[in-house]
Amino acid sequence: MLMVSAHSSNHSKQRGVVLISALIFLLLILLLLRFTLTGSELQERKAGIDQELSMAVEGAEVALRSAEGFILSQQTPGFTPPPCPTGASQAACEADQADAVAADNLAYWQSTAAIDLGFVVEGDPGPCLSPDPSSPAWTCANWGNQFRAGGNTFTANKLADSVYVTELKQTLAEGAAVISPRYIIERFAPDELDLNVADPRTKKSVVLRVTAVGFGVDDGSGDNVTNHMAQATYILTP
């Protein structure tokens, strides 16, 4: 009887060791599974952030290109290119007309009509009312949506009806909203940006600084939307 009892006690201890080992092994599996799921979730979040940033960068670049096209397409009211002189070659005629268009484009940007657009402002002195009147215009512009700066003295130009925005809307999930890229233009005289004003042509130039902002997707959560700002400077010379 004593031998049987000892054998039964040893068998119970073995079963206890097996049970503890199984529990430890199960715990390790659960921890490994948790770390795997957490890693996958982090990778998914990172991919989403990268996509949002890429969209914001692309939107800012689209806005810069749109602003450049807008700048070069502006003409004074009633302007028409001069007719080709009799006997002039086609190449010479096109060159003369291109020069006339460029000269009139410069005249437009030298006029007050450009400032009347609302999203074009004099760069110096700056248009900011707060926090510092000497701050550059892009720090106090009203960029709209969830990206605003102090002052709100003027509103950026939105590319709401652009091909970029139309195509982007078709790729988004239901409930997500596209925030249109936008830009502002600051006008400077050459001496305000330390250009070489010794050149007579430079003295008559107009310098335009474009600041553009692109956005990620607005999912309606109320969180801050990813954004990217880019700048480019254009010098229009006689």
Side-chain angles (χ1 to χ4, degrees), residues 56-105:
V57 171
E58 183 180 3
E61 293 299 324
V62 168
L64 282 181
R65 292 194 298 270
S66 177
E68 179 181 5
F70 175 81
I71 289 171
L72 297 178
S73 66
Q74 299 307 297
Q75 306 293 156
T76 58
F79 170 79
T80 55
C84 293
T86 304
S89 66
Q90 182 68 22
C93 178
E94 291 178 354
D96 290 342
Q97 289 182 335
D99 289 342
V101 169
D104 185 78
N105 177 253

Side-chain angles (χ1 to χ4, degrees), residues 102-117:
D104 185 78
N105 177 253
L106 175 60
Y108 172 85
W109 286 106
Q110 290 172 330
S111 69
T112 59
I115 301 300
D116 294 337
L117 293 172

Side-chain angles (χ1 to χ4, degrees), residues 16-29:
V17 171
V18 171
L19 179 60
I20 293 174
S21 299
L23 290 175
I24 293 175
F25 184 69
L26 179 61
L27 179 61
L28 291 176
I29 292 178

Side-chain angles (χ1 to χ4, degrees), residues 3-230:
M3 291 180 61
V4 172
S5 176
H7 177 74
S8 176
S9 176
N10 290 335
H11 187 64
S12 298
K13 290 180 180 180
Q14 290 177 357
R15 285 188 300 177
V17 171
V18 171
L19 179 60
I20 293 174
S21 299
L23 290 175
I24 293 175
F25 184 69
L26 179 61
L27 179 61
L28 291 176
I29 292 178
L30 291 175
L31 289 174
L32 180 61
L33 180 61
R34 179 180 178 183
F35 288 139
T36 301
L37 293 177
T38 302
S40 299
E41 183 179 355
L42 290 175
Q43 288 295 328
E44 184 177 351
R45 288 183 180 180
K46 183 179 183 300
I49 293 172
D50 290 343
Q51 183 181 13
E52 287 279 303
L53 181 58
S54 177
M55 185 181 301
V57 171
E58 183 180 3
E61 293 299 324
V62 168
L64 282 181
R65 292 194 298 270
S66 177
E68 179 181 5
F70 175 81
I71 289 171
L72 297 178
S73 66
Q74 299 307 297
Q75 306 293 156
T76 58
F79 170 79
T80 55
C84 293
T86 304
S89 66
Q90 182 68 22
C93 178
E94 291 178 354
D96 290 342
Q97 289 182 335
D99 289 342
V101 169
D104 185 78
N105 177 253
L106 175 60
Y108 172 85
W109 286 106
Q110 290 172 330
S111 69
T112 59
I115 301 300
D116 294 337
L117 293 172
F119 55 89
V120 181
V121 294
E122 295 290 2
D124 188 22
C128 297
L129 300 178
S130 63
D132 182 1
S134 63
S135 300
W138 50 268
T139 64
C140 65
N142 179 4
W143 293 100
N145 294 86
Q146 297 180 36
F147 185 77
R148 293 178 180 271
N152 296 332
T153 55
F154 57 98
T155 302
N157 186 36
K158 299 180 182 179
L159 308 184
D161 298 324
S162 67
V163 175
Y164 168 79
V165 172
T166 301
E167 292 179 349
L168 189 59
K169 288 180 179 179
Q170 299 173 356
T171 65
L172 298 181
E174 184 177 355
V178 176
I179 303 179
S180 302
R182 55 207 64 189
Y183 63 86
I184 62 170
I185 300 175
E186 296 170 87
R187 183 174 70 177
F188 296 90
D191 58 346
E192 293 170 349
L193 290 183
D194 297 326
L195 298 179
N196 181 20
V197 294
D199 185 345
R201 295 176 67 247
T202 304
K203 290 182 180 180
K204 299 179 181 179
S205 301
V206 171
V207 181
L208 302 173
R209 181 169 66 190
V210 177
T211 303
V213 175
F215 299 90
V217 175
D218 185 2
D219 60 5
S221 64
D223 296 331
N224 291 329
V225 176
T226 302
N227 58 78
H228 177 78
M229 178 178 287

